[in-house]
Amino acid sequence: MRSLGLNNHKPYLLVLPALIFFSLFVLYGIGTVFAESLNLSLNTGSSIVKYYIELAEKPGFWSGLILSLQVSAAATLLSTIIGVYLARQFYRRVPDSIWHALAWLPMLIPHFAAGYLAVLLLSQSGWFSGLLAQVTLIQETSRFPVLVNDKNGLGIIVTYLWKEIPFVLLMSMPVYRRMDWRYEDVVRTLGGGQWQVFKTVEWPALLPVLVETGIILFAFIFSAFELPYLLGVTYPKMISVMAYQWFYEGSWSNRPLAMALMTVSTVMVLIVAVVLLGLIQGKRYRMMRGR
Amino acid sequence: MKKLVSVILLFFLIFWVAGCGGSNEEAAQEQVTAGQAENILQKEWAEIEKLAQGTEIRMFMWGGDENINRYMDEWVAPQMKEKYGLTFTRVPMDAPEFMQKLLAEKKAGSQKGNMDILWINGENFKNAKTNDLLYQPFVETLPNYQQYVNQQSKNITTDFGVPVEGLEAPWGKVQFVFLYDSAKIPDPPKNFAELAVWVKANPGKFTYPEPADFTGNAFLRHLLYDAVAVDKLLSTGFDESFLEENARPMWDYLNSIKADLWRGGETYPQSLTQLDQLYSQGEVYITMGYNEGRAEPLIKQGVFPETTKSFVMEPGSIGNTHFLAIPYNTPNPAGAMVAINFLLSPEAQLEKLDPAVWGDNTVLDIQKLSEEQKNEFAKLDRGASVLPEEVLQKALVPEVGPEYVDWIKEKWMHEVIGAE
């Protein structure tokens, strides 16, 4: 059956290219970042986690971390909810070609370009503000509400919504297509309404996809740099901007702090991913057993 | 699973072994290159030029300015090809990034890199010098340096307070100016007190980039010089407790104008680009920049209003020199030196000064030029937005060390932003 045990090794050999890629670029990268975030000159008698302690005491770190969490959570949740809502609306009413075009257009625009668009359209000297002043809805452009470079990250969230809702739409649309709609008839026959249909027919099928989409979105938004840099404020700064500035500033004294911050954000993303995936694993198991 | 682990381990082992082999070879090579380098610096200039003939050089430089890029690609590169047979390639990269690359190469023990010339100054030079990332002192070897540069000037011998020691050749110099719209401000402020009065009278029309930005930090250094004279700072040296005691007026000033800044001082532009954008849209009336001629091309392109002019205030305008360095692992030191020498020639410096080209001030001592060359420099009209050379010269104050940049950055977060 097994000639020289080659068959036994085959699956491993097949995943080898992916494995090499993963270990070289991802694991090696994360490993290097982690190693450089540690204080390895132990002869001075200082703690190995010296830079993490420094990080926790750094002005702006905690408020930045909280802002990052808030913005990522808000943008992820809102784009998921709105995306699913749109998918439900579009599924039967809008022809494929049209919603495809609608969804792909924002997807094709890079994040930094979306950021510049937000500045051009939404800033106080921007297009909308000028338009409103022109039709005398506001007296002067400085009366226009502060939507970009605002302390709560509103501009960042809005721009992410514009970019990520289409992503959720594209991810959830195939689920709707594969769904067995005979179940809907069952619910309806038994007197269930819209909500019952969503809860019992659509939700169980959507959940695994939405959790994966959510993790991707959260991880991306939590660590992405361009939108917070373009649309954020001086204080508090989202941690991705902080890490970037510490890493690239002229003097290299804050480099280990940038590494520690990147390690912290990697760990946070991993925790969120593990918790959410754990949740649906349990759920899937129950679903398999027929609850 | 066990097999999977062993496969991974095997791979790491292979890479590790390969890595070791490489560094031994390179160690041997290192001695060879070091030997060659000394020879090159002892050679006659004509011989160095001959060595450079037909070779290639790669210059790593910040690529964010189209005018600068065009000067390098369309004027410098063809001239070098014609005069010295050098194939010149400009590689656009931000200085911190190529410094990072060089540091990584040093850590990996590489003796043959792919960079020949670096455009650096200030903190990047300090990092490079302290980490031994640069080639031997080569500047004195350059004929144009010997002939045209004032070797006594503090602007040439130090770079942000760090002694240059022949490790980098001066290329150009710039001075900090404020830019304003003369249609909106008839009479620009002459000192910080007048600026505060103007800001109070025109709420929301002034701001500065945050000090993590190069220009924003330079703006705040002027304010520091206003609180403590620059001579005093230079003679005292960087001393945090001295600054704590004497720089108080600076933070009080910033907090007193804060409420009348753009967006009520709630946020600041993160970069000069953002401030420029606010200025071009008329949201603020003043922008600034560490280059006395920078408004000219922007006016021509229609980004800035045509009524844009510049001004300097008491206690002066900070100026600095930017330099060209050769990395320790250049594959072509002779070519790099020939290229740098050419960039220091009166013709290359004159072309660079032309506002239609770049508008960067020369590092040459005008007094050392021939009458004909002097005339050509005098003839050049730098544009209506550029202050006359006498005004700039009179206002010029030197840079202090890079420690101040960090100190201002950190302190500003506490004092002005109130970050916890």
Side-chain angles (χ1 to χ4, degrees), chain A residues 204-230:
Chain A
L206 274 173
L207 188 66
V209 175
L210 289 188
V211 165
E212 271 166 39
T213 316
I215 292 171
I216 294 173
L217 287 182
F218 184 86
F220 177 79
I221 297 173
F222 193 71
S223 46
F225 161 78
E226 53 269 68
L227 285 189
Y229 179 73
L230 287 170

PDB file of all heavy atoms in Angstrom, chain A residues 204-230:
ATOM      1  N   PRO A 204     -28.940  31.311  11.188  1.00  0.00           N
ATOM      2  CA  PRO A 204     -28.005  30.187  11.389  1.00  0.00           C
ATOM      3  C   PRO A 204     -27.045  30.018  10.216  1.00  0.00           C
ATOM      4  O   PRO A 204     -25.886  29.652  10.414  1.00  0.00           O
ATOM      5  CB  PRO A 204     -28.935  28.972  11.503  1.00  0.00           C
ATOM      6  CG  PRO A 204     -30.252  29.534  11.901  1.00  0.00           C
ATOM      7  CD  PRO A 204     -30.338  30.877  11.263  1.00  0.00           C
ATOM      8  N   ALA A 205     -27.511  30.307   9.019  1.00  0.00           N
ATOM      9  CA  ALA A 205     -26.634  30.155   7.860  1.00  0.00           C
ATOM     10  C   ALA A 205     -25.651  31.316   7.767  1.00  0.00           C
ATOM     11  O   ALA A 205     -24.500  31.154   7.350  1.00  0.00           O
ATOM     12  CB  ALA A 205     -27.464  30.073   6.579  1.00  0.00           C
ATOM     13  N   LEU A 206     -26.124  32.499   8.167  1.00  0.00           N
ATOM     14  CA  LEU A 206     -25.288  33.693   8.054  1.00  0.00           C
ATOM     15  C   LEU A 206     -24.170  33.719   9.090  1.00  0.00           C
ATOM     16  O   LEU A 206     -23.062  34.164   8.806  1.00  0.00           O
ATOM     17  CB  LEU A 206     -26.147  34.946   8.252  1.00  0.00           C
ATOM     18  CG  LEU A 206     -26.868  35.532   7.052  1.00  0.00           C
ATOM     19  CD1 LEU A 206     -27.775  36.651   7.519  1.00  0.00           C
ATOM     20  CD2 LEU A 206     -25.865  36.058   6.027  1.00  0.00           C
ATOM     21  N   LEU A 207     -24.496  33.256  10.315  1.00  0.00           N
ATOM     22  CA  LEU A 207     -23.601  33.486  11.446  1.00  0.00           C
ATOM     23  C   LEU A 207     -22.137  33.136  11.191  1.00  0.00           C
ATOM     24  O   LEU A 207     -21.253  33.968  11.406  1.00  0.00           O
ATOM     25  CB  LEU A 207     -24.131  32.769  12.693  1.00  0.00           C
ATOM     26  CG  LEU A 207     -23.353  33.117  13.958  1.00  0.00           C
ATOM     27  CD1 LEU A 207     -23.554  34.579  14.319  1.00  0.00           C
ATOM     28  CD2 LEU A 207     -23.750  32.221  15.115  1.00  0.00           C
ATOM     29  N   PRO A 208     -21.844  31.906  10.719  1.00  0.00           N
ATOM     30  CA  PRO A 208     -20.415  31.579  10.536  1.00  0.00           C
ATOM     31  C   PRO A 208     -19.727  32.535   9.568  1.00  0.00           C
ATOM     32  O   PRO A 208     -18.601  32.968   9.820  1.00  0.00           O
ATOM     33  CB  PRO A 208     -20.448  30.163   9.953  1.00  0.00           C
ATOM     34  CG  PRO A 208     -21.799  29.633  10.234  1.00  0.00           C
ATOM     35  CD  PRO A 208     -22.721  30.801  10.343  1.00  0.00           C
ATOM     36  N   VAL A 209     -20.418  32.884   8.502  1.00  0.00           N
ATOM     37  CA  VAL A 209     -19.826  33.795   7.516  1.00  0.00           C
ATOM     38  C   VAL A 209     -19.611  35.174   8.144  1.00  0.00           C
ATOM     39  O   VAL A 209     -18.567  35.800   7.983  1.00  0.00           O
ATOM     40  CB  VAL A 209     -20.725  33.909   6.276  1.00  0.00           C
ATOM     41  CG1 VAL A 209     -20.179  34.952   5.320  1.00  0.00           C
ATOM     42  CG2 VAL A 209     -20.833  32.566   5.602  1.00  0.00           C
ATOM     43  N   LEU A 210     -20.610  35.645   8.882  1.00  0.00           N
ATOM     44  CA  LEU A 210     -20.514  36.972   9.482  1.00  0.00           C
ATOM     45  C   LEU A 210     -19.405  37.044  10.520  1.00  0.00           C
ATOM     46  O   LEU A 210     -18.706  38.050  10.630  1.00  0.00           O
ATOM     47  CB  LEU A 210     -21.844  37.369  10.128  1.00  0.00           C
ATOM     48  CG  LEU A 210     -22.972  37.670   9.136  1.00  0.00           C
ATOM     49  CD1 LEU A 210     -24.172  38.235   9.863  1.00  0.00           C
ATOM     50  CD2 LEU A 210     -22.508  38.628   8.057  1.00  0.00           C
ATOM     51  N   VAL A 211     -19.240  35.963  11.280  1.00  0.00           N
ATOM     52  CA  VAL A 211     -18.176  35.974  12.280  1.00  0.00           C
ATOM     53  C   VAL A 211     -16.814  36.072  11.594  1.00  0.00           C
ATOM     54  O   VAL A 211     -15.963  36.872  11.970  1.00  0.00           O
ATOM     55  CB  VAL A 211     -18.254  34.728  13.181  1.00  0.00           C
ATOM     56  CG1 VAL A 211     -16.967  34.545  13.955  1.00  0.00           C
ATOM     57  CG2 VAL A 211     -19.420  34.858  14.142  1.00  0.00           C
ATOM     58  N   GLU A 212     -16.644  35.292  10.522  1.00  0.00           N
ATOM     59  CA  GLU A 212     -15.366  35.364   9.815  1.00  0.00           C
ATOM     60  C   GLU A 212     -15.154  36.742   9.200  1.00  0.00           C
ATOM     61  O   GLU A 212     -14.084  37.331   9.310  1.00  0.00           O
ATOM     62  CB  GLU A 212     -15.311  34.297   8.724  1.00  0.00           C
ATOM     63  CG  GLU A 212     -14.758  32.991   9.261  1.00  0.00           C
ATOM     64  CD  GLU A 212     -15.001  31.841   8.319  1.00  0.00           C
ATOM     65  OE1 GLU A 212     -14.887  32.046   7.097  1.00  0.00           O
ATOM     66  OE2 GLU A 212     -15.308  30.733   8.802  1.00  0.00           O
ATOM     67  N   THR A 213     -16.205  37.273   8.569  1.00  0.00           N
ATOM     68  CA  THR A 213     -16.108  38.614   7.990  1.00  0.00           C
ATOM     69  C   THR A 213     -15.772  39.627   9.080  1.00  0.00           C
ATOM     70  O   THR A 213     -14.917  40.497   8.897  1.00  0.00           O
ATOM     71  CB  THR A 213     -17.451  39.004   7.334  1.00  0.00           C
ATOM     72  OG1 THR A 213     -17.913  37.895   6.593  1.00  0.00           O
ATOM     73  CG2 THR A 213     -17.286  40.194   6.429  1.00  0.00           C
ATOM     74  N   GLY A 214     -16.458  39.482  10.211  1.00  0.00           N
ATOM     75  CA  GLY A 214     -16.240  40.414  11.320  1.00  0.00           C
ATOM     76  C   GLY A 214     -14.806  40.382  11.806  1.00  0.00           C
ATOM     77  O   GLY A 214     -14.197  41.423  12.067  1.00  0.00           O
ATOM     78  N   ILE A 215     -14.243  39.178  11.916  1.00  0.00           N
ATOM     79  CA  ILE A 215     -12.856  39.080  12.382  1.00  0.00           C
ATOM     80  C   ILE A 215     -11.910  39.753  11.389  1.00  0.00           C
ATOM     81  O   ILE A 215     -11.012  40.509  11.766  1.00  0.00           O
ATOM     82  CB  ILE A 215     -12.455  37.602  12.597  1.00  0.00           C
ATOM     83  CG1 ILE A 215     -13.241  37.026  13.771  1.00  0.00           C
ATOM     84  CG2 ILE A 215     -10.960  37.485  12.853  1.00  0.00           C
ATOM     85  CD1 ILE A 215     -13.081  35.538  13.939  1.00  0.00           C
ATOM     86  N   ILE A 216     -12.145  39.493  10.112  1.00  0.00           N
ATOM     87  CA  ILE A 216     -11.298  40.116   9.093  1.00  0.00           C
ATOM     88  C   ILE A 216     -11.381  41.638   9.209  1.00  0.00           C
ATOM     89  O   ILE A 216     -10.364  42.344   9.248  1.00  0.00           O
ATOM     90  CB  ILE A 216     -11.736  39.687   7.671  1.00  0.00           C
ATOM     91  CG1 ILE A 216     -11.488  38.195   7.481  1.00  0.00           C
ATOM     92  CG2 ILE A 216     -10.993  40.491   6.612  1.00  0.00           C
ATOM     93  CD1 ILE A 216     -12.037  37.639   6.192  1.00  0.00           C
ATOM     94  N   LEU A 217     -12.613  42.148   9.301  1.00  0.00           N
ATOM     95  CA  LEU A 217     -12.796  43.600   9.376  1.00  0.00           C
ATOM     96  C   LEU A 217     -12.142  44.171  10.629  1.00  0.00           C
ATOM     97  O   LEU A 217     -11.417  45.165  10.568  1.00  0.00           O
ATOM     98  CB  LEU A 217     -14.288  43.943   9.371  1.00  0.00           C
ATOM     99  CG  LEU A 217     -14.998  43.783   8.038  1.00  0.00           C
ATOM    100  CD1 LEU A 217     -16.450  44.208   8.171  1.00  0.00           C
ATOM    101  CD2 LEU A 217     -14.305  44.614   6.975  1.00  0.00           C
ATOM    102  N   PHE A 218     -12.403  43.536  11.767  1.00  0.00           N
ATOM    103  CA  PHE A 218     -11.859  44.056  13.024  1.00  0.00           C
ATOM    104  C   PHE A 218     -10.332  44.087  12.975  1.00  0.00           C
ATOM    105  O   PHE A 218      -9.707  45.089  13.290  1.00  0.00           O
ATOM    106  CB  PHE A 218     -12.328  43.197  14.198  1.00  0.00           C
ATOM    107  CG  PHE A 218     -11.883  43.726  15.523  1.00  0.00           C
ATOM    108  CD1 PHE A 218     -12.640  44.686  16.190  1.00  0.00           C
ATOM    109  CD2 PHE A 218     -10.697  43.296  16.112  1.00  0.00           C
ATOM    110  CE1 PHE A 218     -12.228  45.199  17.403  1.00  0.00           C
ATOM    111  CE2 PHE A 218     -10.274  43.805  17.323  1.00  0.00           C
ATOM    112  CZ  PHE A 218     -11.042  44.760  17.977  1.00  0.00           C
ATOM    113  N   ALA A 219      -9.752  42.973  12.535  1.00  0.00           N
ATOM    114  CA  ALA A 219      -8.296  42.902  12.491  1.00  0.00           C
ATOM    115  C   ALA A 219      -7.744  43.978  11.570  1.00  0.00           C
ATOM    116  O   ALA A 219      -6.764  44.654  11.893  1.00  0.00           O
ATOM    117  CB  ALA A 219      -7.847  41.519  12.012  1.00  0.00           C
ATOM    118  N   PHE A 220      -8.392  44.165  10.441  1.00  0.00           N
ATOM    119  CA  PHE A 220      -7.899  45.164   9.493  1.00  0.00           C
ATOM    120  C   PHE A 220      -8.028  46.576  10.051  1.00  0.00           C
ATOM    121  O   PHE A 220      -7.061  47.350  10.070  1.00  0.00           O
ATOM    122  CB  PHE A 220      -8.669  45.060   8.166  1.00  0.00           C
ATOM    123  CG  PHE A 220      -8.257  46.100   7.184  1.00  0.00           C
ATOM    124  CD1 PHE A 220      -7.090  45.954   6.455  1.00  0.00           C
ATOM    125  CD2 PHE A 220      -8.994  47.265   7.028  1.00  0.00           C
ATOM    126  CE1 PHE A 220      -6.679  46.929   5.583  1.00  0.00           C
ATOM    127  CE2 PHE A 220      -8.589  48.252   6.151  1.00  0.00           C
ATOM    128  CZ  PHE A 220      -7.424  48.086   5.426  1.00  0.00           C
ATOM    129  N   ILE A 221      -9.226  46.914  10.538  1.00  0.00           N
ATOM    130  CA  ILE A 221      -9.470  48.282  10.987  1.00  0.00           C
ATOM    131  C   ILE A 221      -8.613  48.604  12.213  1.00  0.00           C
ATOM    132  O   ILE A 221      -8.081  49.701  12.348  1.00  0.00           O
ATOM    133  CB  ILE A 221     -10.966  48.490  11.295  1.00  0.00           C
ATOM    134  CG1 ILE A 221     -11.775  48.287  10.014  1.00  0.00           C
ATOM    135  CG2 ILE A 221     -11.234  49.870  11.874  1.00  0.00           C
ATOM    136  CD1 ILE A 221     -13.261  48.307  10.209  1.00  0.00           C
ATOM    137  N   PHE A 222      -8.452  47.618  13.076  1.00  0.00           N
ATOM    138  CA  PHE A 222      -7.686  47.836  14.303  1.00  0.00           C
ATOM    139  C   PHE A 222      -6.230  48.180  13.998  1.00  0.00           C
ATOM    140  O   PHE A 222      -5.597  48.949  14.702  1.00  0.00           O
ATOM    141  CB  PHE A 222      -7.748  46.564  15.156  1.00  0.00           C
ATOM    142  CG  PHE A 222      -7.261  46.748  16.560  1.00  0.00           C
ATOM    143  CD1 PHE A 222      -8.006  47.486  17.472  1.00  0.00           C
ATOM    144  CD2 PHE A 222      -6.063  46.181  16.974  1.00  0.00           C
ATOM    145  CE1 PHE A 222      -7.566  47.657  18.771  1.00  0.00           C
ATOM    146  CE2 PHE A 222      -5.621  46.354  18.274  1.00  0.00           C
ATOM    147  CZ  PHE A 222      -6.372  47.093  19.171  1.00  0.00           C
ATOM    148  N   SER A 223      -5.698  47.602  12.921  1.00  0.00           N
ATOM    149  CA  SER A 223      -4.273  47.819  12.683  1.00  0.00           C
ATOM    150  C   SER A 223      -3.973  48.689  11.466  1.00  0.00           C
ATOM    151  O   SER A 223      -2.818  49.024  11.239  1.00  0.00           O
ATOM    152  CB  SER A 223      -3.567  46.462  12.530  1.00  0.00           C
ATOM    153  OG  SER A 223      -4.294  45.642  11.675  1.00  0.00           O
ATOM    154  N   ALA A 224      -4.994  49.095  10.702  1.00  0.00           N
ATOM    155  CA  ALA A 224      -4.704  49.882   9.500  1.00  0.00           C
ATOM    156  C   ALA A 224      -4.308  51.307   9.852  1.00  0.00           C
ATOM    157  O   ALA A 224      -4.743  51.858  10.859  1.00  0.00           O
ATOM    158  CB  ALA A 224      -5.913  49.889   8.568  1.00  0.00           C
ATOM    159  N   PHE A 225      -3.492  51.889   9.000  1.00  0.00           N
ATOM    160  CA  PHE A 225      -2.864  53.164   9.327  1.00  0.00           C
ATOM    161  C   PHE A 225      -3.442  54.346   8.551  1.00  0.00           C
ATOM    162  O   PHE A 225      -3.576  55.447   9.084  1.00  0.00           O
ATOM    163  CB  PHE A 225      -1.363  53.029   9.050  1.00  0.00           C
ATOM    164  CG  PHE A 225      -0.635  54.326   8.896  1.00  0.00           C
ATOM    165  CD1 PHE A 225      -0.293  55.061  10.016  1.00  0.00           C
ATOM    166  CD2 PHE A 225      -0.311  54.820   7.647  1.00  0.00           C
ATOM    167  CE1 PHE A 225       0.379  56.264   9.893  1.00  0.00           C
ATOM    168  CE2 PHE A 225       0.350  56.018   7.509  1.00  0.00           C
ATOM    169  CZ  PHE A 225       0.699  56.741   8.640  1.00  0.00           C
ATOM    170  N   GLU A 226      -3.791  54.136   7.268  1.00  0.00           N
ATOM    171  CA  GLU A 226      -4.025  55.313   6.421  1.00  0.00           C
ATOM    172  C   GLU A 226      -5.211  56.177   6.831  1.00  0.00           C
ATOM    173  O   GLU A 226      -5.081  57.395   6.914  1.00  0.00           O
ATOM    174  CB  GLU A 226      -4.083  54.925   4.936  1.00  0.00           C
ATOM    175  CG  GLU A 226      -5.038  53.812   4.544  1.00  0.00           C
ATOM    176  CD  GLU A 226      -4.379  52.454   4.579  1.00  0.00           C
ATOM    177  OE1 GLU A 226      -4.042  51.989   5.682  1.00  0.00           O
ATOM    178  OE2 GLU A 226      -4.226  51.812   3.515  1.00  0.00           O
ATOM    179  N   LEU A 227      -6.368  55.572   7.103  1.00  0.00           N
ATOM    180  CA  LEU A 227      -7.520  56.405   7.467  1.00  0.00           C
ATOM    181  C   LEU A 227      -7.325  57.135   8.794  1.00  0.00           C
ATOM    182  O   LEU A 227      -7.561  58.340   8.863  1.00  0.00           O
ATOM    183  CB  LEU A 227      -8.807  55.575   7.481  1.00  0.00           C
ATOM    184  CG  LEU A 227      -9.365  55.209   6.108  1.00  0.00           C
ATOM    185  CD1 LEU A 227     -10.742  54.589   6.239  1.00  0.00           C
ATOM    186  CD2 LEU A 227      -9.425  56.416   5.194  1.00  0.00           C
ATOM    187  N   PRO A 228      -6.882  56.457   9.865  1.00  0.00           N
ATOM    188  CA  PRO A 228      -6.648  57.200  11.105  1.00  0.00           C
ATOM    189  C   PRO A 228      -5.628  58.326  10.923  1.00  0.00           C
ATOM    190  O   PRO A 228      -5.746  59.376  11.535  1.00  0.00           O
ATOM    191  CB  PRO A 228      -6.102  56.146  12.067  1.00  0.00           C
ATOM    192  CG  PRO A 228      -6.561  54.863  11.533  1.00  0.00           C
ATOM    193  CD  PRO A 228      -6.688  55.017  10.058  1.00  0.00           C
ATOM    194  N   TYR A 229      -4.633  58.109  10.059  1.00  0.00           N
ATOM    195  CA  TYR A 229      -3.629  59.148   9.863  1.00  0.00           C
ATOM    196  C   TYR A 229      -4.239  60.353   9.157  1.00  0.00           C
ATOM    197  O   TYR A 229      -4.009  61.493   9.551  1.00  0.00           O
ATOM    198  CB  TYR A 229      -2.452  58.596   9.050  1.00  0.00           C
ATOM    199  CG  TYR A 229      -1.383  59.630   8.781  1.00  0.00           C
ATOM    200  CD1 TYR A 229      -0.542  60.052   9.799  1.00  0.00           C
ATOM    201  CD2 TYR A 229      -1.223  60.185   7.517  1.00  0.00           C
ATOM    202  CE1 TYR A 229       0.426  61.011   9.571  1.00  0.00           C
ATOM    203  CE2 TYR A 229      -0.255  61.137   7.282  1.00  0.00           C
ATOM    204  CZ  TYR A 229       0.574  61.546   8.306  1.00  0.00           C
ATOM    205  OH  TYR A 229       1.529  62.498   8.071  1.00  0.00           O
ATOM    206  N   LEU A 230      -5.048  60.101   8.128  1.00  0.00           N
ATOM    207  CA  LEU A 230      -5.622  61.210   7.364  1.00  0.00           C
ATOM    208  C   LEU A 230      -6.769  61.893   8.098  1.00  0.00           C
ATOM    209  O   LEU A 230      -6.945  63.096   8.006  1.00  0.00           O
ATOM    210  CB  LEU A 230      -6.142  60.701   6.012  1.00  0.00           C
ATOM    211  CG  LEU A 230      -5.080  60.344   4.988  1.00  0.00           C
ATOM    212  CD1 LEU A 230      -5.714  59.631   3.806  1.00  0.00           C
ATOM    213  CD2 LEU A 230      -4.381  61.610   4.518  1.00  0.00           C
TER     214      LEU A 230
END
